[in-house]
Amino acid sequence: MLCDVRERSICADLSARDMEQVERIMAHRTVPQNKAILKEGEPNDCLYVIVSGSFRLTKYLEDGRRQVTGFLFKGDFFGVRACDESAYTAEALEDSLVCRFPHAFLEEISTASPGIKDRLIARGQTEYHKAQDHIVLLGKKSAEERVLSFIELVGKSVGATADEDGEGRVIPLSMPRQDIADYLGLRLETLSRSLASLKKKGVLRDIGRKSLVLSG
Amino acid sequence: MLCDVRERSICADLSARDMEQVERIMAHRTVPQNKAILKEGEPNDCLYVIVSGSFRLTKYLEDGRRQVTGFLFKGDFFGVRACDESAYTAEALEDSLVCRFPHAFLEEISTASPGIKDRLIARGQTEYHKAQDHIVLLGKKSAEERVLSFIELVGKSVGATADEDGEGRVIPLSMPRQDIADYLGLRLETLSRSLASLKKKGVLRDIGRKSLVLSG
DNA sequence: CGAGTATTTGAAGATCATCAACTGTCGTGG
DNA sequence: CCACGACAGTTGATGATCTTCAAATACTCG
């Protein structure tokens, strides 16, 4: 079975011979909605590539406060760390499919396909830069600015489609409000009010549970 | 000339033969206080390792709001990205010394010393995890909690020393209050008040411009 | 249709920001 | 060596934004 995310992912660097190996070793795995595939503090020895669906990454404070540190979509991957325990929890936002690579296996075939490591470095940097943008968002932006930035980010990640009128861009949302609020460092109610306010101002054309429509 | 950060840094993976190469190619460079060695948006083709001193990483919003996304100390490195422009500005907090490696050079010797790439991957992950902790700090913690977390982070990074009485831990601060505030997503005044409050509560034993003393 | 959950809305309160004045510190030069 | 100026940091009073608690409404699924 072939992923349709191959060209965007690690497999793109593999030779035909290595690909055979991959197809023997790797495992596709379905992850039901809200099920964790990786848990903060638990050991992890695999890299996961998202074939379809989406995930949230979360971290918890000792007292239970939860922060969503990122959302991942098709083609993204997580679980890079080769050693000890995971720094975050990864949960499916919807029924999803991932491709699983043991680190040991990656290490092995990377001697033949060193491009794999370059991919990991580059992707690591991309994630780091996204985290920095997130930091700017949390450190310096107002509630409404955060919400707008989030919508644009999702739009870029999953792609926006034109709505019926051809006037607006539809942004699909696979996550509930609470996840968005926890990503933005806001309370549910503040997120809701910010969305309402953006709609009143005409920035948002429509607010749905599973999608938003941006004006223009 | 040999760095005393060698074992903590990329050079640790190099063979003796590669080290000769490194000593020919690499350049030590001094960076005066408040001078940027990397600027957000400008191209960069080198990796820098901090030999002595410290740096702040900053990002700016279009309207000038500044966010400090991280502080780096001896042994840390920045400028990993092999391509296009830098995602952040790196400025010296004090007169500092860095070691400079062109990416092309690293790429070249990594065929002989593949451990270098593993280092870059591992370090990239470490930075990413630090960024995630920063996100939790900004998204979920109160002003005082942020300040305490920051102090503990610096303590871990640069090492705390016992004070005269042997009762407290002295945390050296190489950055001004404004940088700390911009790191914590707070205003100067709020940072100052939080410090004062922590002292009144007995968590801090003393507050100085260039150091803090933690109780216990 | 109805129960349960997700989301929105309302009113009151807390935390942090803002504006302003004050104090402390450091380096310079008389 | 002390006085001065400039900047870094602190403290005070007021206000805005976001949170909290409470209740209403909308949506989903069996």
Side-chain angles (χ1 to χ4, degrees):
Chain A
M1 179 185 176
L2 283 174
C3 311
D4 63 340
V5 294
R6 267 198 69 180
E7 62 289 348
R8 288 206 275 154
S9 185
I10 9 178
C11 298
D13 279 307
L14 296 177
S15 65
R17 202 169 119 266
D18 283 332
M19 250 334 268
E20 283 178 33
Q21 269 246 307
V22 166
E23 304 206 2
R24 277 215 326 277
I25 300 259
M26 71 160 197
H28 274 164
R29 180 171 154 190
T30 61
V31 186
Q33 184 174 32
N34 290 323
K35 189 92 176 14
I37 190 169
L38 220 69
K39 281 187 184 161
E40 186 178 357
E42 293 190 2
N44 166 50
D45 60 353
C46 289
L47 175 79
Y48 296 92
V49 179
I50 302 176
V51 177
S52 72
S54 50
F55 286 79
R56 66 172 168 258
L57 303 186
T58 56
K59 280 176 83 76
Y60 288 85
L61 252 31
E62 315 66 43
D63 62 1
R65 280 175 288 179
R66 183 186 81 151
Q67 176 68 38
V68 172
T69 61
F71 294 112
L72 298 180
F73 305 95
K74 190 204 278 192
D76 291 331
F77 48 83
F78 53 90
V80 172
R81 188 101 201 208
C83 56
D84 61 337
E85 47 190 42
S86 178
Y88 46 77
T89 296
E91 293 158 308
L93 289 166
E94 57 197 313
D95 292 346
S96 301
L97 184 64
V98 297
C99 191
R100 183 171 167 279
F101 301 94
H103 289 131
F105 169 66
L106 286 177
E107 185 59 36
E108 195 183 310
I109 62 171
S110 71
T111 55
S113 304
I116 287 183
K117 287 192 177 172
D118 293 327
R119 288 253 166 184
L120 290 177
I121 293 170
R123 184 61 71 118
Q125 281 304 105
T126 304
E127 291 304 316
Y128 180 53
H129 293 162
K130 280 206 269 182
Q132 287 198 320
D133 288 337
H134 195 177
I135 287 170
V136 173
L137 180 149
L138 294 171
K140 287 276 125 59
K141 297 188 182 177
S142 69
E144 283 187 24
E145 288 176 317
R146 293 182 199 192
V147 174
L148 250 187
S149 297
F150 165 78
I151 296 172
E152 281 160 9
L153 181 75
V154 175
K156 261 181 240 157
S157 298
V158 306
T161 56
D163 70 348
E164 318 79 66
D165 316 358
E167 290 290 324
R169 289 175 290 150
V170 179
I171 314 283
L173 297 180
S174 56
M175 69 291 288
R177 295 284 191 271
Q178 184 63 61
D179 285 353
I180 300 176
D182 283 348
Y183 176 86
L184 297 177
L186 301 171
R187 307 326 308 258
L188 250 187
E189 299 92 328
T190 306
L191 167 61
S192 188
R193 277 186 254 268
S194 300
L195 284 169
S197 167
L198 286 170
K199 182 172 181 186
K200 185 143 60 189
K201 288 178 182 169
V203 180
L204 287 176
R205 175 169 293 239
D206 196 34
I207 298 174
R209 192 172 289 202
K210 290 191 169 150
S211 70
L212 298 172
V213 184
L214 266 172
S215 304
Chain B
M1 177 184 177
L2 283 174
C3 311
D4 63 339
V5 294
R6 265 198 71 179
E7 62 288 348
R8 286 208 274 153
S9 183
I10 7 178
C11 297
D13 279 307
L14 296 176
S15 64
R17 203 169 117 265
D18 283 332
M19 249 335 268
E20 283 178 34
Q21 269 245 309
V22 165
E23 303 207 3
R24 279 214 324 279
I25 301 259
M26 71 161 196
H28 273 164
R29 181 172 154 189
T30 62
V31 187
Q33 184 174 32
N34 290 323
K35 187 93 179 12
I37 189 168
L38 220 71
K39 281 186 183 163
E40 186 177 355
E42 293 189 2
N44 166 51
D45 61 354
C46 290
L47 175 78
Y48 297 92
V49 180
I50 302 177
V51 177
S52 72
S54 51
F55 285 78
R56 65 170 168 259
L57 303 185
T58 55
K59 282 177 81 78
Y60 287 86
L61 251 31
E62 314 67 43
D63 62 2
R65 279 175 288 180
R66 183 185 80 149
Q67 176 69 37
V68 172
T69 61
F71 293 111
L72 298 181
F73 305 95
K74 189 204 278 190
D76 291 331
F77 48 83
F78 54 89
V80 171
R81 187 104 201 205
C83 57
D84 60 337
E85 46 190 42
S86 178
Y88 46 78
T89 297
E91 293 157 309
L93 289 167
E94 57 197 313
D95 293 346
S96 301
L97 184 64
V98 297
C99 190
R100 184 171 165 278
F101 300 93
H103 289 130
F105 169 67
L106 287 177
E107 186 59 35
E108 195 183 309
I109 63 170
S110 71
T111 55
S113 303
I116 287 184
K117 287 192 177 171
D118 293 325
R119 288 253 165 184
L120 289 176
I121 293 170
R123 183 61 71 118
Q125 281 303 108
T126 305
E127 290 305 316
Y128 179 53
H129 293 162
K130 280 205 269 183
Q132 287 199 321
D133 288 337
H134 195 177
I135 287 170
V136 173
L137 180 149
L138 294 171
K140 286 276 125 57
K141 296 186 182 177
S142 69
E144 283 187 24
E145 289 175 318
R146 294 183 198 192
V147 174
L148 250 187
S149 297
F150 165 77
I151 296 172
E152 281 161 8
L153 182 74
V154 175
K156 262 181 240 157
S157 298
V158 306
T161 56
D163 70 348
E164 318 81 62
D165 316 359
E167 290 290 325
R169 289 175 291 149
V170 179
I171 315 284
L173 297 180
S174 56
M175 68 292 287
R177 293 285 192 271
Q178 185 63 62
D179 286 353
I180 301 175
D182 283 348
Y183 176 86
L184 297 177
L186 300 172
R187 308 325 313 256
L188 249 187
E189 299 92 328
T190 305
L191 167 59
S192 189
R193 276 186 254 269
S194 300
L195 285 170
S197 166
L198 286 171
K199 183 172 180 188
K200 185 143 59 188
K201 289 178 182 169
V203 180
L204 287 176
R205 176 169 295 239
D206 197 34
I207 299 174
R209 192 172 287 203
K210 290 189 169 151
S211 70
L212 299 172
V213 184
L214 265 172
S215 305

